Amino acid sequence: MRQFTEDTLTDAVVARLKATKNPRLREIMTSLVRHLHAFAKDVQLTEEEWFEGIKFLTAVGQKCDDKRQEFILLSDVLGLSMMTVAINHKTDPGATEATVLGPFFAHGAKEFGYGGDLREGATLKGEDVWVAGRVTSIDGKPIPGAMLDIWQAKADGIYDLQTEGEFELRGRVKANAKGEYAFASYKPKFYSIPIDGPVGDMVNATTKNHMRPAHMHAIVSAPGYQQVITHVFVDGDPHLESDAVYAVKNSLVSKYKKMSDAEARKVGLPSGSFKVEFDFKLSPQSGVKARKKIAASDTVGA
Ligand code: BEZ
Ligand code: FE
């Protein structure tokens, strides 16, 4: 057959896809075509709307460069990133829950030992915080030398990657021989996802929901354990219920408490500083299906 109608076109495309050698690619393309066609029929897509969609996706691509990943942002606000995390990361009971990577992870951050100062070189001051805890297995065994890749926005809610400057408020923090980690940083603040591009235009035209609750990002890894890509959120943040990218997990919300003067002095921070304690618990490599490790090619700026 060479001539198709609204009723026969989907099956015709799917039939051609049977030639696809890679079975997984065939499965994905077949499902994608069926859903795309069903969507077009469902909304009775007009040609003008189809072209608007093409222009939108073109603009999303044009907004991407070696520092900006507008497609990840699009996936995030559509909930696709968190859906993929949920499908692929069925957490072992007791393990730290995973959440979105987001578009601002970068390889090559400076390495710090126990007690490192991630505020080094920061161009903006924030509220000082001592972040500390342990990295353990799900049954509570310390994991010596576990690596925590930490990144967060500056005090103005902008990530270093969004500006021309050097790396700021990010570092690879190595846990000590007892699996304990600690570092100084600034208390995270809520911020807006980047809305100066096509994804921002889409958000403004639809949900207007562009705020992220305050958080720091962490990727925690250790040999023999599954890497976890996660956040630590600030308890009490006004945007916890309305995260633009649906990434909040109750188990990741932590209390940032004021330290006593003596406590602050002991860790070399000024009086009035905060502390937060958060333990990361990793699943064994052989546990519930592992999420693929972050590879150099997976992120912007790599
Ligand atoms: C972030 O937390 O860095 C982020 C995540 C998703 C979209 C935008 C920013
Ligand atoms: Fe973030």
Side-chain angles (χ1 to χ4, degrees), residues 7-203:
D7 293 328
T8 60
L9 182 57
T10 307
D11 285 341
V13 179
V14 166
R16 269 189 207 171
L17 284 169
K18 289 209 166 79
T20 309
K21 285 220 164 56
N22 180 325
R24 179 62 176 157
L25 180 60
R26 190 189 322 126
E27 182 184 2
I28 289 173
M29 291 301 295
T30 300
S31 179
L32 182 65
V33 164
R34 286 205 185 284
H35 282 89
L36 281 175
H37 288 209
F39 154 74
K41 283 170 151 181
D42 184 33
V43 300
Q44 290 291 294
L45 195 66
T46 68
E47 284 166 301
E48 290 75 21
E49 289 160 348
W50 171 84
F51 195 54
E52 276 305 310
I54 297 291
K55 283 198 291 187
F56 172 73
L57 290 174
T58 304
V60 171
Q62 285 168 341
K63 197 73 187 170
C64 293
D65 59 26
D66 61 345
K67 283 186 160 183
R68 173 118 178 204
Q69 232 309 348
E70 194 79 356
F71 273 113
I72 293 186
L73 191 60
L74 177 60
S75 164
D76 291 341
V77 300
L78 292 178
L80 179 60
S81 307
M82 275 311 286
M83 181 57 82
T84 311
V85 170
I87 292 166
N88 286 280
H89 199 80
K90 315 256 189 267
T91 315
D92 283 311
T96 298
E97 290 189 274
T99 190
V100 286
L101 174 68
F104 299 125
F105 172 71
H107 289 276
K110 182 176 166 186
E111 197 171 314
F112 295 89
Y114 183 91
D117 190 348
L118 271 61
R119 301 166 305 168
E120 266 177 21
T123 51
L124 279 179
K125 282 207 175 312
E127 296 175 290
D128 302 286
V129 64
W130 185 249
V131 187
R134 294 197 318 148
V135 184
T136 71
S137 61
I138 44 180
D139 46 10
K141 265 204 337 260
I143 306 179
M147 187 57 84
L148 293 87
D149 234 303
I150 304 291
W151 70 106
Q152 67 174 79
K154 296 178 285 153
D156 57 0
I158 305 280
Y159 279 84
D160 51 0
L161 293 190
Q162 295 173 274
T163 62
E164 289 303 316
E166 303 288 314
F167 277 179
E168 272 185 62
L169 297 182
R170 56 176 85 227
R172 286 165 61 72
V173 180
K174 201 170 175 183
N176 67 15
K178 291 191 271 182
E180 297 161 343
Y181 76 88
F183 59 90
S185 188
Y186 292 130
K187 184 173 175 236
K189 290 224 265 320
F190 56 75
Y191 63 84
S192 171
I193 61 167
I195 50 167
D196 58 338
V199 173
D201 294 343
M202 184 190 79
V203 168

